[in-house]
Amino acid sequence: MQNQSKTVIYGVNDRPPLRDTLFAAIQHLLAIFIAIITPPLIIAKALGMDLSTTGFLVSMSLFVSGVATFIQSRRFGPVGCGLLCVQGTSFSFIGPIIAIGNAGGLPLIFGACIAAAPVEMAVSYSFKYLRKIITPLVSGIVVMLIGLSLIKAGVIACGGGDTGSADFGAPQNLMVAGVVLAGVMVLNGSNNKYLRMSSIFLGVVVGYLLALRWGW
C-alpha cells in the first residue's frame, strides 16, 4: 500500500481544527524564537562581548520583537498591517553591524540603527513602484547571498563555536551538527504533516539531547 500525502486548503471563512492551529502556532513560535536570538548571538560573538552584554542584546531583541509584533497586528493608524505578522531580527544587517561595532562598539551600533530606521521606513513606501525591478529573481539572489555570508558563522558553530578552543572541530561537535542537519532534512521530507511542521524544532531538540549526553 502506498502512502499518499493529502493537502487541505482552507477558505477565508473556514476554520482548521484547533489542534492543527495550536501545533502550527507553537512550532512557529519556537522557530521564530531561534531566528530572533541567533543574530544578536552572532554579533556578540564576533565583537567579543561578555556574557552580560550578550544577554542584554538577546533580551532586547525578544522585547523589541514583541512590541513590534503587537503594533503590527493591532495597527495604530497607518502603522501596522493588521495581521499577525511576527517581527524579528534580520540576518541582512549582521555584516554591517559587525563592521560598525568594530569601529565604535555598541554606542555606534545603536546610533546607526536609530538614524537608519526612518530611512528604511520611508523607502518601504516606494517598494510598490519597484516591483518591476525587484523581481522574485532579484530577491531570491539577495536571500542566497545572505545565506552565503553566514556560511563562515555556521561552519564555526558546527565546529564548536570557539576557534581557539582545544576541542574545536572535534568529532563529537561535527557529529551533533551532522545529526541535527540530517534530522531536519529527513523530517522535512516526511509524509506526516506534523513531523514536517516540527522538523526544525525536533532537530534542535535532538542536538540538545546529544549535547547533554556528553555533558556540555
Side-chain angles (χ1 to χ4, degrees):
M1 182 180 294
Q2 184 179 2
N3 294 327
Q4 294 182 351
S5 177
K6 183 178 179 181
T7 302
V8 180
I9 300 177
Y10 298 103
V12 176
N13 297 322
D14 295 334
R15 286 188 176 182
L18 180 61
R19 64 175 185 177
D20 290 351
T21 56
L22 288 177
F23 190 85
I26 294 173
Q27 192 270 346
H28 185 71
L29 178 63
L30 294 173
I32 197 63
F33 177 79
I34 296 173
I36 290 173
I37 67 173
T38 301
L41 289 176
I42 294 175
I43 294 171
K45 183 68 176 178
L47 298 178
M49 297 178 179
D50 56 24
L51 186 60
S52 61
T53 306
T54 302
F56 170 76
L57 288 179
V58 173
S59 300
M60 288 301 100
S61 296
L62 293 171
F63 175 74
V64 173
S65 173
V67 173
T69 301
F70 177 77
I71 295 174
Q72 188 77 278
S73 57
R74 293 287 295 182
R75 189 171 188 176
F76 296 90
V79 180
C81 64
L83 302 174
L84 183 55
C85 182
V86 180
Q87 303 297 290
T89 52
S90 173
F91 289 87
S92 306
F93 307 103
I94 290 180
I97 286 179
I98 292 176
I100 294 172
N102 287 328
L106 281 180
L108 187 57
I109 290 176
F110 292 153
C113 291
I114 293 173
V119 177
E120 185 176 1
M121 293 172 62
V123 172
S124 66
Y125 287 97
S126 65
F127 281 171
K128 59 183 178 181
Y129 304 109
L130 300 176
R131 291 179 179 176
K132 294 183 178 180
I133 301 176
I134 306 178
T135 62
L137 176 61
V138 174
S139 58
I141 293 175
V142 171
V143 172
M144 183 187 69
L145 291 176
I146 294 173
L148 292 176
S149 67
L150 297 174
I151 289 179
K152 180 180 179 180
V155 171
I156 292 176
C158 291
D162 186 3
T163 56
S165 177
D167 63 347
F168 180 78
Q172 61 265 29
N173 295 340
L174 300 178
M175 191 181 81
V176 170
V179 169
V180 172
L181 177 61
V184 171
M185 293 176 63
V186 171
L187 292 174
N188 197 44
S190 173
N191 290 329
N192 189 308
K193 63 179 180 180
Y194 295 108
L195 291 179
R196 289 198 307 271
M197 294 168 61
S198 59
S199 59
I200 297 177
F201 171 67
L202 293 178
V204 173
V205 170
V206 171
Y208 272 110
L209 293 177
L210 286 178
L212 290 174
R213 171 64 178 82
W214 283 308
W216 293 346

